Amino acid sequence: MGRSRRTLPEELLLLALDPATGTTAQPQSLDLGLAGAQLVELALAGRIAPDGDRIAVVMPRPTGDPTLDSALELLRRRGSPVRAVHWIGGPRLGLRQTYLSHLERCGMVHAVEGQMCGVLPTTRYQATETAISREIRARLDSAIRTGVPPDPRTAALAALAHAVGLGKHLYPGNEGRSSRSRLRDLIRHDPMGGLVAHAVMDVQNGAGAQPRRSGNTAAGGSTRQAPGGGVPLQSQPRAAGSMARVVSA
């Protein structure tokens, strides 16, 4: 896998980031979405595949992306397919900061230092390559507007955006209701994206310990709504050499 292509976790994070304020929508569910996006990216790279509601490693060869390869190695060590909902619901300390730091190194976001309550050092991130964010958004808009089945990457991004509750951030108000509905419907166009999106919603709904009903398949049998509404992202202490948890503002 070359680094010329943005990965789904990076795209999901850029989609959620407000280029003007350095905040994101739905920061808590976004963390789950990033873990899910890693699974979809690994599936697109041919490293894993769905096995019912579980994830199986089918090719353990590294992708060349250190963060994805860490996830792939953890899956490989499990030895047997793992339920997607258990994987996504596991601890992911520092995952969002890992991707923010990577986007900063690539010049796609800029770190802005500040203080919380006038005391605690914090960092917000503002998009610098807004054309990239617009291109990502345009892919979703096109899929929603035209009704043409999107490519698997865009379909998975739409499924993840719906699952983490970005619909009301991307298409707010009553005028965005039909767009939010179509965003949800795009979940059916990618089986892996659908499986992961439903797992993200299951974790948010506290259903991770419950067996999945046959109607809630990766093909999009469920019409559950992800939490809506925008929440400012973090302002987070920067710590050299460590991955500090992103804190909601």
Side-chain angles (χ1 to χ4, degrees):
M1 169 183 291
R3 294 301 297 131
S4 59
R5 179 189 289 275
R6 294 182 302 274
T7 64
L8 273 172
E10 293 160 7
E11 291 197 327
L12 184 65
L13 188 51
L14 286 170
L15 193 64
L17 186 67
D18 186 314
T21 65
T23 63
T24 63
Q26 303 294 70
Q28 287 78 25
S29 56
L30 182 60
D31 290 341
L32 302 175
L34 291 174
Q38 286 187 312
L39 293 180
V40 180
E41 190 66 52
L42 287 170
L44 289 171
R47 294 335 193 248
I48 64 175
D51 181 5
D53 66 348
R54 297 174 183 268
I55 303 298
V57 175
V58 295
M59 183 190 298
R61 179 166 57 85
T63 66
D65 180 299
T67 309
L68 290 175
D69 289 341
S70 294
L72 180 61
E73 177 61 15
L74 288 174
L75 286 166
R76 187 192 66 80
R77 290 179 183 176
R78 295 291 184 94
S80 59
V82 60
R83 286 186 67 199
V85 71
H86 289 164
W87 173 262
I88 290 168
R92 293 292 180 272
L93 181 63
L95 185 58
R96 187 162 21 134
Q97 178 58 32
T98 295
Y99 280 109
L100 283 169
S101 296
H102 172 73
L103 292 174
E104 184 182 14
R105 289 192 300 272
C106 292
M108 285 188 280
V109 301
H110 171 64
V112 179
E113 306 291 348
Q115 289 184 330
M116 182 182 293
C117 302
V119 179
L120 181 65
T122 62
T123 304
R124 290 177 181 266
Y125 292 86
Q126 293 182 320
T128 54
E129 294 289 341
T130 55
I132 294 176
S133 297
R134 289 196 299 270
E135 182 272 328
I136 296 169
R137 172 66 180 270
R139 282 164 43 209
L140 289 187
D141 290 346
S142 177
I144 286 172
R145 183 179 63 254
T146 65
V148 176
D151 62 275
R153 181 173 294 273
T154 300
L157 182 62
L160 289 162
H162 166 70
V164 303
L166 291 184
K168 289 186 177 180
H169 166 69
L170 299 170
Y171 308 104
N174 288 333
E175 64 275 15
R177 184 176 299 172
S178 61
S179 293
R180 293 195 299 271
S181 177
R182 288 193 290 271
L183 179 71
R184 180 197 65 213
D185 291 343
L186 289 174
I187 200 170
R188 71 181 186 273
H189 290 294
D190 180 62
M192 185 66 178
L195 169 64
V196 169
H198 283 305
V200 169
M201 290 186 282
D202 279 346
V203 173
Q204 293 179 82
N205 293 333
Q210 301 298 321
R212 182 180 299 279
R213 295 188 298 272
S214 59
N216 294 336
T217 66
S222 172
T223 57
R224 288 167 295 177
Q225 294 283 347
V231 179
L233 170 72
Q234 60 106 178
S235 288
Q236 134 184 18
R238 260 180 102 108
S242 66
M243 293 190 298
R245 180 182 295 274
V246 176
V247 180
S248 301

